[in-house]
């Protein structure tokens, strides 16, 4: 609206060159850092930590423990990230996924500590060590799980890049190289899987919206939002179960978590960027909250899971604790909070990156200040 007012004003009064300049204002530019960790959230947490307020303070000490380890870690980039299907060769799948998972975790932890510490460059520099390693060496992903693992493990790299967006110790050569990696490898993988029906699609959408935010690409962001809205009530049935995931036999509860974690994270990025709230969109009784309630209930009562006998369940300190920690504060649901309280502070172990530091990085829909 402001732009169109200026535009109208200019049509009447301005010189053609000024009009051109005003026109260019129309291209959206998102706020950086933003997306999954908006500046307000970073400022809020920084203040809580400075005041030694819990649970933030202990969560920060735990983060510092992770960064102290990261400082000693070598980088593990590979040229061709080749991941066989988990059900084809589990040990090879795990072994080859690990280099990106480990480096992403370290890059993300250090980039976050850079902000919460009040901008100490040592953290940013260590984060860049991991980003540079992949940006300069990795050119491809391959094999049947390559695009999926690149997408869910690489999220940590993209979040780190977003957090370091304004860091003046990141020179333009390295920055450009990293942006090329996001375009040519990371985004390619996430865009490739974002229309899949099951959790692959949710990870693709999270990867795609994070990249869209990094590159100020509002049309790509809108594409993701349309995908989320387009099949939300295919993914979430009227009773809250997720048919694409509940059929995964012994791992139906895990896959339900593995779909909701990136879905909610993508909705959070969208909310922070556009203020559009998908967390309470509903159709009949079905909503994201109903699916979370379903996950919460059956993770507590796996013996009642209607889809498989004795399914695997998670725990407060791992999955779905990380997701319920984030969603407990977002929806202000005391049951979720009670579930995770004794496990705080929660850091999700190195595997995928949606709700990785949920105790430290409080999630809420209303303003932080
Ligand atoms: C981090 O915490 C672990 C487990 O409590 C401990 O064994 C390790 O020494 C700590 N590492 C650092 C660098 O503080
Ligand atoms: C990566 O490896 C796959 C086979 O696993 C191969 O088809 C592909 O060409 C390789 N890509 C590059 C860029 O080396
Ligand atoms: C799986 O990969 C490992 C190497 O990581 C290899 O030793 C093993 O033979 C493979 N298993 C199958 C079933 O192909
Ligand atoms: C992966 O396999 C290689 C070769 O066998 C081995 O050196 C390495 O320690 C393994 N990595 C992990 C994380 O298991
Ligand atoms: C961080 O990196 C910048 C740019 O290379 C350098 O100027 C600065 O001295 C480094 N600082 C620390 C604490 O590593
Ligand atoms: C950018 O930083 C890298 C270290 O990551 C360094 O090797 C390179 O020389 C720097 N380039 C410029 C143009 O300053
Ligand atoms: C935005 O993303 C779309 C879809 O990925 C792509 O086609 C387009 O070139 C991007 N626009 C810009 C300005 O990068
Ligand atoms: C969803 O949230 C928005 C913003 O907080 C609010 O305006 C809207 O009324 C809510 N819708 C429902 C169905 O609760
Ligand atoms: C919605 O929930 C109410 C209350 O639990 C229930 O009575 C009703 O049958 C549900 N509707 C559908 C379509 O599942
Ligand atoms: C959250 O819910 C509790 C009850 O469980 C209520 O006392 C509190 O006021 C709520 N907080 C907000 C911010 O709505």
């Amino acid at each position: 609206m402001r732009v169109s007012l200026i535009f109208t004003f200019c049509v009447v009064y301005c010189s053609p060159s000024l009009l051109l300049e005003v026109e260019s204002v129309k291209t959206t530019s998102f706020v950086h850092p933003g997306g999954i960790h908006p500046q307000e959230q970073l400022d809020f947490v920084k203040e809580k930590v400075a005041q030694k307020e819990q649970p933030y303070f202990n969560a920060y000490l735990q983060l510092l423990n992770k960064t102290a380890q990261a400082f000693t870690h070598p980088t593990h980039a590979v040229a061709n990230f080749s991941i066989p299907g988990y059900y084809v060769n589990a040990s090879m799948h795990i072994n080859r996924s690990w280099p990106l998972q480990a480096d992403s975790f370290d890059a993300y932890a250090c980039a976050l500590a850079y902000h919460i510490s009040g901008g100490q460059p040592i953290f940013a520099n260590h984060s860049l060590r991991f980003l540079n390693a992949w940006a300069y060496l990795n050119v491809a992903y391959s094999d049947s799980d390559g695009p999926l693992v690149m997408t869910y493990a690489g999220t940590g790299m993209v979040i780190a890049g977003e957090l370091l967006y304004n860091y003046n110790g990141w020179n333009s050569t390295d920055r450009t190289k990293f942006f090329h990696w996001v375009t040519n490898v990371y985004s390619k993988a996430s865009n490739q899987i974002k229309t899949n029906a099951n959790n692959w699609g949710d990870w693709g959408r999270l990867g795609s919206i994070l990249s869209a935010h990094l590159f100020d690409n509002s049309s790509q962001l809108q594409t993701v939002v349309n995908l989320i809205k387009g099949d939300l009530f295919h993914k979430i049935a009227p009773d809250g179960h997720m048919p694409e995931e509940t059929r995964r036999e012994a791992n139906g509860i895990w896959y339900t978590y593995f779909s909701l974690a990136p879905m909610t994270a993508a909705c959070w990025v969208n909310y922070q960027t556009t203020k559009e709230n998908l967390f309470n969109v509903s159709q009949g009784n079905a909503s994201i909250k109903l699916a979370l309630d379903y996950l919460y209930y059956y993770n507590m009562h796996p013996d009642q899971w209607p889809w498989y006998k004795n399914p695997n369940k998670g725990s407060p300190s791992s999955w779905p604790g990380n997701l319920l920690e984030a969603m407990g504060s977002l929806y202000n649901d005391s049951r979720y909070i009670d579930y995770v309280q004794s496990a705080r502070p929660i850091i999700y172990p190195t595997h995928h990156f949606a709700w990785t530091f949920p105790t430290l990085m409080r999630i809420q829909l209303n303003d932080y200040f």
Side-chain angles (χ1 to χ4, degrees):
M1 174 140 137
R2 204 172 70 201
V3 169
S4 79
L5 270 179
I6 294 169
F7 188 81
T8 313
F9 172 85
C10 279
V11 168
V12 182
Y13 299 104
C14 299
S15 70
S17 70
L18 184 54
L19 189 58
L20 261 178
E21 222 169 65
V22 171
E23 273 276 61
S24 70
V25 171
K26 278 186 176 175
T27 31
T28 321
S29 179
F30 299 141
V31 179
H32 303 284
I36 207 158
H37 296 307
Q39 187 67 53
E40 270 221 323
Q41 183 200 38
L42 294 165
D43 291 343
F44 172 86
V45 173
K46 196 164 67 180
E47 193 175 301
K48 294 294 177 193
V49 166
Q51 293 161 349
K52 297 195 162 62
E53 200 174 302
Q54 300 297 1
Y56 310 98
F57 189 62
N58 284 352
Y60 180 60
L61 296 181
Q62 185 195 30
L63 175 67
L64 290 181
N65 175 297
K66 300 294 182 190
T67 57
Q69 294 174 41
F71 285 12
T72 71
H73 290 165
T75 62
H76 305 90
V78 295
N80 195 340
F81 187 64
S82 181
I83 311 294
Y86 183 84
Y87 297 98
V88 176
N89 188 331
S91 72
M92 196 191 276
H93 171 103
I94 292 166
N95 183 287
R96 289 189 177 173
S97 297
W98 183 81
L100 180 57
Q101 293 167 323
D103 287 7
S104 272
F105 183 89
D106 287 345
Y108 185 0
C110 290
L112 195 55
Y114 166 68
H115 282 279
I116 309 303
S117 70
Q120 291 179 27
I122 183 100
F123 291 109
N125 288 0
H126 274 286
S127 182
L128 289 177
R129 211 161 46 81
F130 298 99
L131 300 193
N132 283 336
W134 287 80
Y136 280 89
L137 183 61
N138 177 239
V139 292
Y141 55 85
S142 56
D143 215 337
S144 53
D145 276 355
L148 176 65
V149 182
M150 172 52 69
T151 301
Y152 72 56
T155 39
M157 292 280 174
V158 180
I159 295 169
E162 178 74 44
L163 284 166
L164 298 180
Y165 199 93
N166 298 319
Y167 174 53
N168 60 17
W170 194 4
N171 71 38
S172 65
T173 318
D174 288 357
R175 179 194 296 265
T176 303
K177 198 76 190 165
F178 176 73
F179 282 13
H180 282 163
W181 176 79
V182 176
T183 301
N184 299 329
V185 184
Y186 184 78
S187 283
K188 198 173 141 211
S190 45
N191 286 326
Q192 184 182 331
I193 64 174
K194 70 177 188 280
T195 55
N196 287 36
N198 70 359
N199 62 80
W200 286 53
D202 303 306
W203 282 106
R205 293 162 196 190
L206 176 58
S208 191
I209 201 169
L210 289 170
S211 313
H213 192 283
L214 187 70
F215 294 137
D216 299 318
N217 190 329
S218 53
S219 82
Q220 185 170 319
L221 182 138
Q222 199 52 53
T223 300
V224 171
V225 171
N226 292 341
L227 285 170
I228 294 172
K229 289 175 175 171
D231 63 6
L232 195 57
F233 301 109
H234 165 76
K235 284 173 171 291
I236 301 172
D239 67 349
H241 88 274
M242 302 185 78
E244 297 287 347
E245 315 300 335
T246 50
R247 61 193 178 80
R248 301 297 292 273
E249 304 188 334
N251 293 317
I253 300 178
W254 153 261
Y255 280 112
T256 296
Y257 156 77
F258 204 55
S259 177
L260 284 170
M263 183 197 289
T264 51
C267 291
W268 170 250
V269 172
N270 182 44
Y271 179 74
Q272 284 304 331
T273 310
T274 68
K275 291 294 162 207
E276 178 186 19
N277 182 0
L278 299 174
F279 287 101
N280 62 0
V281 170
S282 59
Q283 180 174 295
N285 292 341
S287 63
I288 290 175
K289 182 59 164 55
L290 191 70
L292 288 163
D293 286 345
Y294 193 96
L295 169 67
Y296 167 79
Y297 181 83
Y298 287 105
N299 187 68
M300 299 283 256
H301 305 281
D303 52 307
Q304 294 172 29
W305 182 248
W307 312 97
Y308 201 78
K309 202 165 153 36
N310 298 324
N312 297 318
K313 66 166 186 142
S315 68
S317 60
S318 173
W319 69 275
N322 65 329
L323 171 62
L324 295 175
E325 171 80 299
M327 295 298 107
S329 59
L330 187 141
Y331 287 108
N332 192 28
D333 190 320
S334 58
R335 295 169 310 151
Y336 296 1
I337 295 166
D338 289 346
Y339 178 69
V340 301
Q341 202 133 31
S342 65
R344 285 176 175 165
I346 297 167
I347 287 188
Y348 191 79
T350 301
H351 181 268
H352 56 270
F353 305 92
W355 299 114
T356 308
F357 304 99
T359 305
L360 182 64
M361 303 312 292
R362 182 186 164 83
I363 298 299
Q364 60 183 54
L365 289 179
N366 45 341
D367 291 342
Y368 280 92
F369 292 101

